[in-house]
C-alpha cells in the first residue's frame, strides 16, 4: 500500500512524493493503520491525504456533500451514534444502484461491511473530510420525519419507574434506537422545536387534551395535540431530565439540563407549575452553537450604531437598556461586552441566570437563597478591580444606588430596566427613590428596544399598503406615488412555517444624555418633556425606527404596529 501511495503521489502531484516517502520510512507505528498515521501527519492536510487515497484506490473524493442525497434507508437503519463515532454518511443518487458510504478514514473496511448488513444494500466507498461528514450527519438525522403521534399511542403501557434508569444528563436527541416511547416522544418534541427555531416549548394541559405549543420569533403556535393520558408521563420525563422531584406535583419547580443534537449543545431552562387540569411546563431553549451576536448584527440603524459604539469607549457612566421581557435586552448587553476588548479591561457580570458563557469575562450567578442578590454581589465585584460591570437587572433602590455609585467611582456600568421607552427609564429610577442629581450626573444613555419579525426572503412579495396603514406610521400616501417607494410582505412558505416571517431584528430608541437633558432630569421634569427635548436632538423613537425598517423592506407595517406604540408627545 505504501508503494502504491508513493507512486500515486509521483503521478498526480497531489502531495510531495519525497516528503511522503520520508514520512512513511520513519513513521511506522505498530498496530496503527496507514490512513490514520497519514491523517495525523503534520506535513499534509486532511484533504490532500484523502485525495491521495481516492486517486490510489480509484474512489471518488467529495469536497461537499448534500443532505438531500442521504437516503431515508441509511438514516433509519444506521444509528446516529454509530455514524458519528465512525464519521460516515451514506449518499445515493438517482442513477446509482449502490449505496455510497462516505468515509473520512479510507481503510475502514469493517464499517462498509456493517453498513451493508444494516441497510441490506450493496455499498461502495467514497471519501470526504471529517467536518463535511459531521455537518451532513447532523442535518440528515435532524431532518428525519418525526412520528410523535405514533409514539404517543405506545405510551399507555409505559411504566413510570423505567424513566429513572433511562436518563442521562446530556442526552443526544438523535439517539432514538431502543428508547422507551415516552423518551422518544419528548426527544422528538425538543427536536422539532429546534428544527423550527423555537425559543420556548409550552406543555399545556386542557380538560380533554395535552397541547404542545412553540414560541417562534416571539409568537406562540399550536403544533401538536396529544391524548390527555400522556401528561403525567411527559411531565415526569421532563422532571427527570432536569433533576426535579417527580413525586412533587402540587408545588412549582425549576430546573435545567443540557441536550445534544449531534454536535449542537442546547441548554434547557425548565419550569413546572400545577394547574386545574394537571401540571404545566415551559422549556426555554438556549442553543449554544448560535454564539453571541455582534453589535452590528442586532439591526441598529447606522447613525444610532455609531453613536452607541462611541458610548462603549467611555471610561465611566451608566448605560440602561430598557424594554419588556423577551425584547432582546440581554442579547444587546452581551453584544456590548463582546465589543469591548476583554484583554485590556477587567469585565465582570452579575446575572440571573447566566445565559451564555463569554470568553475572557468573569460571570457571577445571583443566588438569592444564599443572600447573594444583585446589590450584595455588586459590592463584592467592586473589590475585584473591574473596569466594566454588567448588572443583569435593576429591581430595587439598593441595586440602583450601587450601580450609580459604581459609575461615579470610575466604572462603566451596563444594566436593564423594565420600561416602555427610553424617557420612561428616568421616571422609573426616580420612582425607585434615586436622587435626581445622581441620575443626571451618572447616566450617559438609555436605550429602549423591541424585536420585530423580518420578512421571509423566500416568499417576500411586493404589496400596496392602505392609506390607514401609512397614516398609522406617520407616512403620507404621496410617499408611494411620488418616490416610487415599495412595500413588502411575506406570502408564507414551508421555510417560514407559513407565517411570512423568518428571524427577528431590533428596533431601537437611543437617548444619549446631554446637558439639556441633565438639567431636565435634575428638575424632576416629566417623561414627556424629556422625550420632547431628546427628539430635538434627533433621537428616533421606536415607531420611527420601525418605519425606517419598513421603508428598507426589512419588516412589515403590521409588525411595527404590533410591537410599538404611537408617539404621543
Amino acid at each position: 500500500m505504501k508503494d502504491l501511495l508513493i507512486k500515486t503521489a509521483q503521478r498526480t502531484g497531489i502531495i510531495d512524493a519525497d516528503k511522503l516517502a520520508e514520512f512513511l520510512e520513519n513513521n511506522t507505528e505498530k498496530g496503527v493503520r496507514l490512513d490514520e498515521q497519514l491523517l495525523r501527519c503534520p506535513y499534509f492536510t486532511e484533504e490532500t491525504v484523502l485525495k491521495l487515497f481516492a486517486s490510489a484506490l480509484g474512489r471518488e473524493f467529495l469536497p461537499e456533500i448534500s443532505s438531500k442525497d442521504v437516503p431515508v434507508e441509511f438514516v433509519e437503519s444506521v444509528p446516529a451514534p454509530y455514524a458519528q463515532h465512525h464519521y460516515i454518511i451514506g449518499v445515493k443518487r438517482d442513477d446509482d444502484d449502490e449505496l455510497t458510504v462516505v468515509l473520512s478514514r479510507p481503510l475502514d473496511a469493517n464499517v462498509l461491511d456493517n453498513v451493508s448488513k444494516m441497510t441490506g444494500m450493496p455499498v461502495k466507498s467514497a471519501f470526504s473530510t471529517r467536518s463535511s461528514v459531521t455537518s451532513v450527519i447532523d442535518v440528515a438525522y435532524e431532518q428525519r420525519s418525526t412520528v410523535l403521534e405514533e409514539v404517543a399511542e405506545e405510551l399507555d403501557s409505559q411504566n413510570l419507574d423505567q424513566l429513572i434508569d433511562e436518563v442521562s444528563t446530556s442526552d443526544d436527541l438523535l439517539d432514538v434506537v431502543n428508547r422507551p416511547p415516552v423518551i422518544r416522544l419528548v426527544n422528538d418534541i425538543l427536536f422539532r422545536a429546534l428544527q423550527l427555531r423555537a425559543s420556548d416549548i409550552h406543555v399545556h394541559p386542557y380538560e380533554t387534551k395535552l397541547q404542545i405549543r412553540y414560541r417562534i420569533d416571539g409568537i406562540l403556535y399550536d403544533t401538536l395535540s396529544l391524548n390527555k393520558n400522556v401528561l403525567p408521563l411527559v411531565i415526569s420525563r421532563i422532571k427527570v431530565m432536569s433533576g426535579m422531584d417527580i413525586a412533587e406535583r402540587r408545588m412549582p419547580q425549576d430546573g435545567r439540563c443540557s441536550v445534544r443534537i449531534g454536535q449542537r449543545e442546547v441548554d434547557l431552562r425548565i419550569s413546572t407549575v400545577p394547574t386545574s387540569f394537571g401540571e404545566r411546563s415551559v422549556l426555554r431553549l438556549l442553543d449554544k452553537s448560535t454564539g453571541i451576536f455582534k453589535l452590528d448584527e442586532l439591526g441598529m440603524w447606522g447613525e444610532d450604531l455609531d453613536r452607541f459604539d462611541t458610548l462603549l469607549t467611555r471610561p465611566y457612566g451608566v448605560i440602561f437598556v430598557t424594554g419588556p421581557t423577551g425584547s432582546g435586552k440581554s442579547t444587546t448587553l452581551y453584544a456590548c461586552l463582546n465589543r469591548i476588548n476583554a484583554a485590556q479591561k477587567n469585565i465582570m457580570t452579575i446575572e440571573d441566570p447566566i445565559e451564555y458563557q463569554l470568553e475572557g469575562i468573569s460571570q457571577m450567578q445571583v443566588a438569592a437563597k444564599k443572600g447573594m442578590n444583585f446589590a450584595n454581589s455588586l459590592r463584592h465585584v467592586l473589590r475585584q478591580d473591574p473596569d466594566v460591570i454588567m448588572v443583569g437587572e435593576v429591581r430595587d433602590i439598593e441595586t440602583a444606588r450601587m450601580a450609580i455609585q459604581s459609575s461615579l467611582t470610575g466604572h462603566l456600568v451596563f444594566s436593564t430596566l423594565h420600561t416602555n421607552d427610553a424617557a420612561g427609564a428616568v421616571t422609573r429610577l426616580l420612582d425607585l427613590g434615586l436622587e435626581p442629581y445622581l441620575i443626571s450626573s451618572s447616566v450617559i444613555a438609555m436605550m429602549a428596544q423591541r424585536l420585530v419579525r423580518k420578512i421571509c426572503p423566500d416568499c417576500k412579495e411586493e404589496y400596496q399598503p392602505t392609506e390607514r396603514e401609512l397614516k398609522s406610521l406617520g407616512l403620507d400616501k404621496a410617499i408611494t406615488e411620488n418616490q416610487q417607494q415599495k412595500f413588502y410582505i411575506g406570502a408564507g412558505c414551508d421555510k417560514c412555517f407559513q407565517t411570512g416571517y423568518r428571524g427577528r431584528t431590533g428596533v431601537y430608541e437611543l437617548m444619549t444624555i446631554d446637558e439639556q437633558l441633565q438639567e431636565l432630569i435634575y428638575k424632576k421634569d416629566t417623561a414627556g418633556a424629556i422625550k420632547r427635548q431628546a427628539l430635538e436632538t434627533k433621537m428616533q423613537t421606536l415607531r420611527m425606527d420601525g418605519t425606517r425598517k419598513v421603508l428598507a423592506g426589512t419588516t412589515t407595517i403590521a409588525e411595527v404596529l404590533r410591537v410599538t406604540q404611537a408617539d404621543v408627545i
Side-chain angles (χ1 to χ4, degrees):
M1 188 69 198
K2 291 180 181 178
D3 293 337
L4 177 60
L5 290 175
I6 294 169
K7 286 177 182 175
T8 306
Q10 291 169 340
R11 176 172 52 85
T12 60
I14 294 172
I15 59 178
D16 189 316
D18 294 334
K19 207 173 250 187
L20 175 64
E22 184 185 343
F23 175 80
L24 292 175
E25 188 178 336
N26 299 327
N27 295 272
T28 50
E29 299 177 52
K30 287 186 179 179
V32 181
R33 280 205 326 256
L34 184 59
D35 57 343
E36 292 177 347
Q37 288 182 45
L38 280 171
L39 287 167
R40 290 204 299 261
C41 172
Y43 305 144
F44 316 118
T45 65
E46 180 189 16
E47 188 173 324
T48 55
V49 169
L50 292 171
K51 282 182 177 177
L52 182 69
F53 271 99
S55 182
L57 299 172
R59 301 287 187 270
E60 191 180 0
F61 175 79
L62 303 175
E64 291 182 357
I65 312 166
S66 172
S67 60
K68 294 176 183 177
D69 292 334
V70 180
V72 178
E73 297 89 345
F74 182 87
V75 175
E76 290 179 348
S77 305
V78 179
Y82 187 84
Q84 289 166 338
H85 178 72
H86 292 285
Y87 298 99
I88 59 167
I89 193 70
V91 295
K92 194 170 189 291
R93 300 182 183 93
D94 294 337
D95 54 345
D96 279 354
D97 296 327
E98 295 177 295
L99 174 70
T100 301
V101 180
V102 184
L103 307 170
S104 59
R105 290 179 287 208
L107 302 180
D108 256 350
N110 289 338
V111 170
L112 285 176
D113 294 339
N114 290 338
V115 171
S116 182
K117 288 174 187 173
M118 289 178 195
T119 59
M121 299 169 68
V123 298
K124 63 180 180 181
S125 62
F127 307 140
S128 189
T129 60
R130 276 192 180 193
S131 58
S132 298
V133 172
T134 301
S135 61
V136 178
I137 289 172
D138 291 350
V139 175
Y141 280 86
E142 278 188 33
Q143 289 178 348
R144 76 184 193 279
S145 58
T146 54
V147 285
L148 295 174
E149 291 81 1
E150 292 176 22
V151 172
E153 289 174 8
E154 297 178 49
L155 285 170
D156 290 336
S157 59
Q158 176 69 26
N159 185 354
L160 265 176
D161 296 334
Q162 293 175 6
L163 293 171
I164 307 297
D165 303 323
E166 292 291 339
V167 72
S168 68
T169 53
S170 185
D171 241 350
D172 191 339
L173 301 186
L174 300 181
D175 183 9
V176 295
V177 179
N178 298 323
R179 289 294 198 184
V182 67
I183 295 181
R184 301 211 319 269
L185 174 67
V186 174
N187 280 8
D188 273 345
I189 289 170
L190 288 166
F191 177 80
R192 186 181 282 185
L194 289 164
Q195 277 185 308
L196 296 172
R197 301 173 294 102
S199 59
D200 301 84
I201 304 170
H202 291 234
V203 181
H204 193 164
Y206 289 91
E207 188 174 5
T208 58
K209 65 178 180 178
L210 173 62
Q211 187 70 50
I212 306 297
R213 312 174 80 197
Y214 294 153
R215 187 178 293 280
I216 303 167
D217 292 336
I219 306 294
L220 271 173
Y221 297 97
D222 291 344
T223 55
L224 182 69
S225 290
L226 299 172
N227 192 307
K228 181 72 184 293
N229 298 336
V230 306
L231 174 64
L233 295 165
V234 171
I235 294 293
S236 295
R237 169 60 183 164
I238 290 170
K239 285 181 175 180
V240 169
M241 286 173 68
S242 54
M244 298 182 197
D245 181 0
I246 65 169
E248 178 56 75
R249 293 175 185 154
R250 300 184 198 175
M251 295 289 289
Q253 295 188 66
D254 292 314
R256 63 188 308 163
C257 66
S258 292
V259 294
R260 282 184 298 111
I261 288 196
Q263 304 301 311
R264 288 166 64 188
E265 188 86 16
V266 180
D267 273 348
L268 302 178
R269 290 213 306 267
I270 301 167
S271 168
T272 63
V273 295
T275 70
S276 55
F277 296 121
E279 283 185 283
R280 175 195 167 112
S281 182
V282 175
L283 297 83
R284 166 66 58 90
L285 282 66
L286 296 169
D287 190 349
K288 292 181 179 179
S289 66
T290 56
I292 307 298
F293 282 95
K294 293 179 181 175
L295 202 60
D296 53 9
E297 294 173 343
L298 299 178
M300 216 176 285
W301 204 257
E303 300 160 14
D304 289 342
L305 179 61
D306 292 339
R307 286 167 58 211
F308 193 68
D309 205 14
T310 305
L311 296 171
L312 301 184
T313 62
R314 296 276 286 270
Y316 53 84
V318 185
I319 297 173
F320 282 108
V321 180
T322 79
T325 303
S327 59
K329 300 187 297 295
S330 297
T331 301
T332 299
L333 290 182
Y334 279 133
C336 293
L337 297 180
N338 215 24
R339 185 66 163 245
I340 298 169
N341 191 337
Q344 297 176 358
K345 294 187 177 180
N346 180 19
I347 304 174
M348 300 193 71
T349 73
I350 306 164
E351 303 174 59
D352 184 23
I354 296 170
E355 294 189 4
Y356 291 100
Q357 295 293 337
L358 294 167
E359 190 177 345
I361 292 174
S362 301
Q363 296 171 265
M364 277 181 66
Q365 168 77 52
V366 169
K369 291 179 182 176
K370 298 177 182 176
M372 285 295 289
N373 56 22
F374 280 112
N376 288 342
S377 300
L378 191 48
R379 284 195 187 91
H380 292 289
V381 163
L382 287 170
R383 296 178 190 136
Q384 294 287 316
D385 184 32
D387 297 296
V388 180
I389 304 168
M390 192 262 270
V391 182
E393 187 183 339
V394 168
R395 299 173 181 169
D396 51 54
I397 177 64
E398 194 179 4
T399 310
R401 182 165 276 125
M402 285 291 296
I404 295 287
Q405 288 173 349
S406 300
S407 75
L408 294 174
T409 54
H411 304 92
L412 183 61
V413 181
F414 296 93
S415 192
T416 68
L417 279 170
H418 288 287
T419 63
N420 287 330
D421 58 7
V426 176
T427 51
R428 172 81 177 121
L429 292 172
L430 291 170
D431 289 343
L432 283 174
L434 271 181
E435 294 79 3
Y437 72 87
L438 282 177
I439 302 170
S440 63
S441 58
S442 61
V443 178
I444 57 175
M446 293 179 169
M447 184 167 74
Q449 70 174 77
R450 299 289 188 277
L451 291 175
V452 293
R453 293 179 292 171
K454 294 193 290 185
I455 301 169
C456 173
D458 290 292
C459 58
K460 186 175 183 178
E461 62 182 29
E462 196 176 331
Y463 94 112
Q464 183 62 44
T466 64
E467 198 169 339
R468 185 177 177 181
E469 285 178 316
L470 292 171
K471 193 175 180 182
S472 63
L473 283 190
L475 298 173
D476 196 301
K477 196 168 188 234
I479 197 168
T480 57
E481 295 170 356
N482 299 337
Q483 299 180 16
Q484 296 297 308
Q485 174 66 48
K486 293 181 179 179
F487 292 84
Y488 297 93
I489 198 166
C493 63
D494 291 339
K495 290 189 178 179
C496 64
F497 201 41
Q498 302 300 329
T499 61
Y501 298 99
R502 196 159 93 231
R504 288 189 289 180
T505 190
V507 290
Y508 299 91
E509 178 178 301
L510 178 60
M511 184 175 80
T512 50
I513 308 299
D514 56 15
E515 289 182 11
Q516 287 89 351
L517 287 175
Q518 282 181 334
E519 194 174 329
L520 291 177
I521 294 168
Y522 187 74
K523 291 178 181 176
K524 282 191 171 183
D525 224 321
T526 63
I530 292 169
K531 189 170 186 174
R532 281 193 293 274
Q533 176 59 41
L535 286 168
E536 286 182 21
T537 57
K538 297 183 179 178
M539 179 187 84
Q540 295 288 308
T541 65
L542 289 167
R543 179 64 65 89
M544 291 173 183
D545 191 40
T547 303
R548 289 193 294 200
K549 291 181 168 84
V550 168
L551 296 175
T554 305
T555 189
T556 63
I557 295 175
E559 192 63 9
V560 172
L561 297 179
R562 181 179 69 84
V563 302
T564 64
Q565 58 188 16
D567 295 320
V568 180
I569 302 164

